[in-house]
Amino acid sequence: MQNPLLHPQQLPPFSQIKVDQIEPAIDALIEENRHLVNALTETEQDHDWDSFVQRLEDTSDKLSYAWSIASHLNGVMNSDELRQAYNACLPKLSAYWTEMGQHKGLFSGYEALAKSEHFASLDKAQQKVLQNTLRDFKLSGIALPEAEQQRYAEIQQRLSELTNTFSENVLDATQGWYFHTEDPSDLQGLPDDAIEAAANAAKTRELDGWVITLDFPSYYAVMTYANNSAVREQLYRAYSTRASDQGPDAGRWDNGPIMNEILALRQELAKLLGFTTYADLSLATKMAENGDQVIGFLNDLAEKSRPVAEQDLADLTAFAKELDGTEQLMPWDVSYYADKLKQSRYQVSQQQLRPYFPLPKVLNGLFGIVERLFGIRIEEQADADTWHEDVRFFRLSRDGETLAYCYLDPFARSNKRGGAWMADCRDRRRLADGQIQLPVAYLVCNFTPPVSNKPALLTHDEVTTLFHEFGHGLHHMLTRVDYPEVSGINGVAWDAVELPSQFLENWCWEPEGLALMSGHYETNEPLPNELLENMLAAKHFQAGMMMVRQLEFSLFDFKLHQCFEAGVTDVQQVLDEVRKQVAVMTPPKENRFQHSFGHIFSGGYAAGYYSYKWAEVLSADAFSRFEEDGVFSPTAGEAFRSNILEKGGSAEPMELFVAFRGREPKVDALLRHNGIVKAA
């Protein structure tokens, strides 16, 4: 049987993939790529797009495809065997990618093509590929002396190992602790489905009673609904000290030394490439022009938001004292009393909304909204080969033409990384024979699975998460760019990549959109008008506190990467100083949020977490056109699809935004949508 990891034109036959196939497949593809690169560059010759770039794309796409499958399975079906195979491939891939980034013959070939007469005959997307590639060669150390190139390679390999270990530690720490009780009073206040899930978790461990884990749905239910403050505190302290030197598993999976080494290596890498800080290196591929602009942007939002956040906290503190006589509000009390205050003020809570958001109804509504906005039809393909029985597979089409496919893995389970994300399985690209390889996306969430005979019931927050990730998916799947380096989300400036995801969230707050995605799971009755009105009225509830929390993360990330100096900078001190500036509630000293901050230590957001707020300016202003034209305006929908979703990274984000909106973005809509300033 041929190795199923080697055929990107086919959909992955997951049932046929064996863990012991991964490393040999990666080895074979690396050697195939090396052989082609050497053949194309060993003699000086004039190249055109087809004889050079197309051939390189053909072979590198196979490697990208195989590694996307291995990486995906490592995240959603983690096991000791898979982890071992994945880790065995990391140093080989790091060495290969560094080698290609510093390959002088390859660089010369791209540079010659960019300077040739042939360049003028290329379309705009092809020219962007060449421009980006030459930029990336420089950022890969192509101009460095040999000794420094070698050090660059060593740093990249070590970083790939460290960031993966960071992620593994967070997963192990999350899975490694749980709260077991046989006392039903510990669960008072929890909704029935959370209690049933806790009973099931105990049974899987062959225990009596109930088990609460640190998987987010389980943790969130306790922090929001459990009446027992001591239980909430115990969960909070375990969750906020994961993978650190504090808490119940102190030192067992400690990411502290790993963070320091990651930061030191990033700073060394930046200086090797001629940048003062890693933050400066990060901005070389982003919309923001410099660090001062980023810090100024975040400080301005903080200045406008903190007074609102302070009032939010004062309201919450007064309510807790009035309700229970609570004199001092603690971090593990915030979600609990916020839910109670929200119910008191607006007669609405996430738990009240759950019965009206069964996952099947939400999906139908999501697909209906996408069809009305962009003319896209989404249909489930029942016979797909997947990695788990909960996974579903869908086909996207327009006017009968198949555009893309996507997998949806919706539920939390053991050995699955927490959070929600979209990842690419396969990129859209034009093949050598002229056919089009269609894009395929992975959409992953961690919702509470169905219990008893009920479908999975989502909170409104989870509905918004699903829309967010599907927005990323649309960016990947609806692209009409035929060159993988700039198709879909590829080549998009990181601080613009959240535009489609945050944009799609808006329909979760529009009555016309909510009517499509909601209906009681037993009767299909629509969301009652009173509950709908209360939910919409509560949209900006605690908005100030939520805003400063995100600004805390963004400023911490950026300032840390601006100032870090090995052996001098204390990571905790940087975070503490940022909290003094923007936070309205100081967590306990043992809180080690940063030790599980995967976005910046094992994801792609290092010195780029600010991108969420930066892109939110774009998304809020983009949606304001629909507020003006109508939330299902076909003209506005067509314009967003054709100017943003279809173009991918083939042009600069500001150019695409102006083409859609008719002007550059303004921050006003962001402040209004977040409730920081009142609508006029």
Side-chain angles (χ1 to χ4, degrees):
M1 181 188 297
Q2 290 184 312
N3 191 326
L5 289 162
L6 303 180
H7 305 287
Q9 276 84 62
Q10 299 174 8
L11 292 168
F14 287 101
S15 62
Q16 298 175 29
I17 294 172
K18 309 298 181 186
V19 172
D20 60 7
Q21 295 175 324
I22 292 174
E23 189 177 0
I26 297 299
D27 288 341
L29 290 167
I30 287 175
E31 284 310 305
E32 180 182 337
N33 285 12
R34 281 197 177 111
H35 179 76
L36 176 66
V37 168
N38 291 335
L40 289 176
T41 60
E42 62 187 6
T43 59
E44 290 189 16
Q45 53 182 306
D46 293 333
H47 288 295
D48 58 17
W49 182 273
D50 290 341
S51 66
F52 190 68
V53 181
Q54 178 71 53
R55 293 183 66 191
L56 290 168
E57 280 182 357
D58 289 343
T59 189
S60 65
D61 186 59
K62 296 178 186 177
L63 179 59
S64 297
Y65 169 80
W67 187 238
S68 78
I69 296 173
S71 300
H72 176 70
L73 291 175
N74 190 54
V76 298
M77 295 291 287
N78 194 270
S79 66
D80 290 341
E81 295 78 15
L82 185 53
R83 197 179 273 195
Q84 183 178 351
Y86 181 85
N87 290 342
C89 293
L90 275 179
K92 299 177 183 181
L93 284 162
S94 178
Y96 168 75
W97 285 322
T98 300
E99 175 190 339
M100 292 300 106
Q102 296 178 349
H103 196 292
K104 295 191 184 303
L106 206 52
F107 172 69
S108 296
Y110 276 102
E111 188 175 46
L113 185 54
K115 292 179 178 179
S116 70
E117 294 180 0
H118 180 63
F119 182 81
S121 67
L122 301 178
D123 65 36
K124 188 174 181 180
Q126 290 172 303
Q127 292 178 355
K128 189 72 163 61
V129 168
L130 294 178
Q131 292 161 356
N132 286 359
T133 302
L134 293 174
R135 175 202 66 194
D136 292 343
F137 269 115
K138 293 173 183 176
L139 295 177
S140 296
I142 191 70
L144 295 176
E146 186 175 344
E148 293 183 1
Q149 282 190 340
Q150 178 60 34
R151 180 55 187 157
Y152 177 100
E154 292 168 357
I155 291 172
Q156 289 287 32
Q157 180 167 323
R158 182 61 178 155
L159 281 172
S160 72
E161 296 167 355
L162 289 167
T163 54
N164 183 58
T165 301
F166 182 98
S167 182
E168 289 180 348
N169 283 345
V170 174
L171 177 62
D172 290 343
T174 302
Q175 302 276 329
W177 186 94
Y178 59 85
F179 171 75
H180 173 232
T181 183
E182 296 182 29
D183 183 354
S185 67
D186 288 338
L187 306 179
Q188 283 183 356
L190 288 182
D192 291 343
D193 57 350
I195 293 174
E196 189 170 350
N200 291 337
K203 288 177 184 175
T204 62
R205 292 168 173 79
E206 299 182 347
L207 296 171
D208 294 328
W210 302 269
V211 162
I212 306 293
T213 72
L214 295 181
D215 287 329
F216 191 76
S218 179
Y219 172 75
Y220 172 84
V222 170
M223 300 310 294
T224 308
Y225 305 114
N227 294 334
N228 191 322
S229 177
V231 172
R232 296 199 307 269
E233 179 180 354
Q234 192 171 345
L235 265 290
Y236 173 88
R237 292 189 185 278
Y239 190 85
S240 65
T241 57
R242 286 176 301 157
S244 79
D245 58 345
Q246 301 291 315
D249 286 320
R252 189 172 178 190
W253 295 288
D254 186 10
N255 271 333
I258 292 170
M259 289 189 299
N260 282 313
E261 189 176 353
I262 287 172
L263 291 163
L265 290 173
R266 285 174 177 169
Q267 180 67 0
E268 183 182 353
L269 191 70
K271 289 188 174 180
L272 268 179
L273 295 173
F275 294 91
T276 304
T277 70
Y278 186 81
D280 296 325
L281 170 57
S282 172
L283 292 180
T285 56
K286 294 182 171 67
M287 285 181 71
E289 296 173 6
N290 52 58
D292 289 344
Q293 187 183 21
V294 173
I295 294 295
F297 168 71
L298 296 173
N299 283 342
D300 181 56
L301 286 179
E303 184 178 346
K304 291 180 169 69
S305 303
R306 182 159 182 172
V308 181
E310 288 171 341
Q311 186 59 54
D312 286 345
L313 181 60
D315 292 347
L316 195 59
T317 302
F319 175 80
K321 184 174 183 179
E322 179 184 349
L323 185 68
D324 288 335
T326 302
E327 291 293 335
Q328 183 178 2
L329 202 66
M330 302 303 292
W332 49 87
D333 297 326
V334 172
S335 294
Y336 177 76
Y337 284 112
D339 184 70
K340 294 286 188 289
L341 176 56
K342 192 175 184 181
Q343 287 188 61
S344 173
R345 187 178 289 179
Y346 302 104
Q347 292 76 54
V348 67
S349 71
Q350 291 288 327
Q351 198 59 30
Q352 283 176 283
L353 294 169
R354 266 191 198 274
Y356 293 95
F357 292 109
L359 181 58
K361 182 73 174 181
V362 173
L363 279 176
N364 286 339
L366 169 59
F367 297 163
I369 288 167
V370 168
E371 183 167 1
R372 290 181 67 175
L373 286 173
F374 309 124
I376 305 302
R377 186 168 179 78
I378 304 172
E379 300 169 295
E380 185 163 9
Q381 309 292 290
D383 57 349
D385 188 349
T386 66
W387 57 92
H388 190 274
E389 60 185 7
D390 291 337
V391 177
R392 301 170 66 180
F393 185 67
F394 299 92
R395 167 182 172 263
L396 280 70
S397 62
R398 178 176 167 84
D399 298 329
E401 175 194 1
T402 300
L403 301 177
Y405 299 94
C406 70
Y407 297 92
L408 173 63
D409 187 349
F411 304 127
R413 59 176 176 269
S414 297
N415 300 316
K416 179 180 177 183
R417 179 160 62 90
W421 67 92
M422 189 285 293
D424 59 312
C425 170
R426 195 171 73 188
D427 294 322
R428 178 186 169 100
R429 70 185 191 93
R430 183 175 296 278
L431 305 177
D433 62 6
Q435 296 187 63
I436 298 297
Q437 174 179 288
L438 297 179
V440 182
Y442 299 122
L443 298 165
V444 183
C445 298
N446 272 279
F447 303 142
T448 302
V451 292
S452 299
N453 295 320
K454 298 178 185 177
L457 303 177
L458 308 189
T459 66
H460 185 255
D461 288 344
E462 289 173 329
V463 173
T464 304
T465 295
L466 178 62
F467 272 65
H468 179 100
E469 299 308 332
F470 203 78
H472 281 308
L474 290 176
H475 204 186
H476 174 69
M477 294 184 287
L478 299 191
T479 186
R480 304 296 281 187
V481 180
D482 295 337
Y483 315 106
E485 295 88 345
V486 291
S487 74
I489 62 172
N490 298 327
V492 178
W494 200 258
D495 43 9
V497 81
E498 296 293 335
L499 164 57
S501 55
Q502 293 174 337
F503 167 80
L504 199 62
E505 290 181 31
N506 287 287
W507 276 265
C508 299
W509 293 100
E510 291 298 320
E512 293 173 73
L514 286 162
L516 295 174
M517 70 182 80
S518 63
H520 196 280
Y521 76 96
E522 291 177 317
T523 64
N524 201 35
E525 290 180 8
L527 203 60
N529 284 335
E530 184 179 1
L531 195 56
L532 172 62
E533 290 171 4
N534 291 343
M535 187 186 92
L536 296 177
K539 179 181 180 182
H540 298 142
F541 176 70
Q542 300 278 291
M545 289 182 69
M546 287 188 280
M547 174 69 90
V548 297
R549 182 173 180 268
Q550 288 298 306
L551 293 174
E552 175 188 315
F553 299 166
S554 300
L555 282 163
F556 164 64
D557 164 47
F558 202 80
K559 288 187 173 183
L560 184 64
H561 286 98
Q562 269 191 326
C563 75
F564 189 83
E565 187 176 344
V568 176
T569 305
D570 184 303
V571 174
Q572 185 66 51
Q573 184 178 347
V574 175
L575 181 54
D576 290 343
E577 289 173 356
V578 169
R579 282 173 171 160
K580 287 178 185 177
Q581 176 192 348
V582 300
V584 293
M585 172 174 276
T586 303
K589 287 186 178 180
E590 80 219 35
N591 180 290
R592 291 294 183 269
F593 150 76
Q594 65 272 27
H595 286 239
S596 59
F597 196 4
H599 278 78
I600 71 168
F601 289 114
S602 60
Y605 285 85
Y609 195 85
Y610 78 90
S611 300
Y612 280 103
K613 286 301 168 194
W614 187 277
E616 199 174 340
V617 172
L618 304 177
S619 65
D621 200 6
F623 183 68
S624 68
R625 176 171 173 182
F626 288 82
E627 292 177 312
E628 296 162 7
D629 296 355
V631 293
F632 286 115
S633 165
T635 304
E638 171 71 19
F640 191 84
R641 181 175 59 81
S642 61
N643 288 300
I644 305 293
L645 298 176
E646 290 186 353
K647 294 295 176 60
S650 64
E652 293 300 321
M654 186 61 76
E655 177 186 338
L656 297 178
F657 184 89
V658 171
F660 165 70
R661 195 68 180 92
R663 56 166 174 76
E664 293 193 355
K666 299 177 181 178
V667 74
D668 310 46
L670 167 68
L671 296 172
R672 177 167 50 82
H673 286 186
N674 280 272
I676 304 304
V677 299
K678 303 297 183 185

